[in-house]
Amino acid sequence: MFELKANLFFGGSTAELIRQAVQAYKDRIKEMDCPHCGRKMKIDFFEEVMYADVGDQRVEILVTNIPKHVCHPCERMVENLKLMVAIEEEVDRIIRDCLRNKKAFPKQIDFLDLIGMGKADLVPTQ
């Protein structure tokens, strides 16, 4: 079905079909029970500074609005390591793009802007 839709709508470009599908995809982060106390965890948004060495320059980029599961009663946090790796890879891609196009490196990147969603789209009503 994948190739059929790529041929029908995108002249056979599976890459374009994937790009369009990713842009259109909307869902909410799944609720999670705290692995320590068993209570429902909430989604909070955090910032992380990502670093990259570019030649002899150390680049710092603040990534905002990163969602993480937090248990407020026991003050524990569960971090999605695969998501964090994917964010680091996206920051690296942005840096390479800036170098290729001779642009200044951004000081800050909003995670929600990267995925084209807002907090209300992403977080289940609690």
Side-chain angles (χ1 to χ4, degrees):
M1 180 188 329
F2 188 74
E3 288 189 22
L4 291 173
K5 286 193 174 189
N7 283 305
L8 179 62
F9 297 110
F10 302 103
S13 172
T14 55
E16 182 61 19
L17 173 59
I18 291 169
R19 191 179 71 70
Q20 295 277 342
V22 168
Q23 283 182 340
Y25 185 79
K26 303 280 188 213
D27 200 357
R28 297 190 183 269
I29 297 175
K30 305 300 181 248
E31 287 188 351
M32 178 180 195
D33 292 334
C34 178
H36 302 283
C37 73
R39 294 186 179 125
K40 290 281 183 217
M41 300 183 88
K42 299 205 183 280
I43 303 297
D44 284 341
F45 293 85
F46 295 87
E47 300 176 341
E48 295 274 339
V49 177
M50 304 279 173
Y51 300 94
D53 292 321
V54 179
D56 61 352
Q57 180 183 3
R58 178 106 176 167
V59 178
E60 288 184 20
I61 298 177
L62 178 67
V63 181
T64 60
N65 288 317
I66 300 171
K68 298 181 184 184
H69 285 92
V70 178
C71 180
H72 291 279
C74 73
E75 299 180 359
R76 303 275 181 142
M77 181 184 324
V78 174
E79 195 168 9
N80 183 333
L81 294 179
K82 288 183 179 181
L83 175 62
M84 295 308 295
V85 168
I87 291 170
E88 287 179 10
E89 289 172 352
E90 183 63 14
V91 168
D92 286 345
R93 187 199 62 73
I94 290 168
I95 289 171
R96 287 191 311 273
D97 184 58
C98 289
L99 287 169
R100 192 172 24 260
N101 295 304
K102 297 181 175 140
K103 294 182 187 173
F105 301 122
K107 299 283 185 210
Q108 183 172 317
I109 297 170
D110 187 315
F111 172 79
L112 297 174
D113 287 344
L114 284 177
I115 64 169
M117 296 178 75
K119 288 181 182 178
D121 300 323
L122 201 58
V123 180
T125 54
Q126 299 184 13

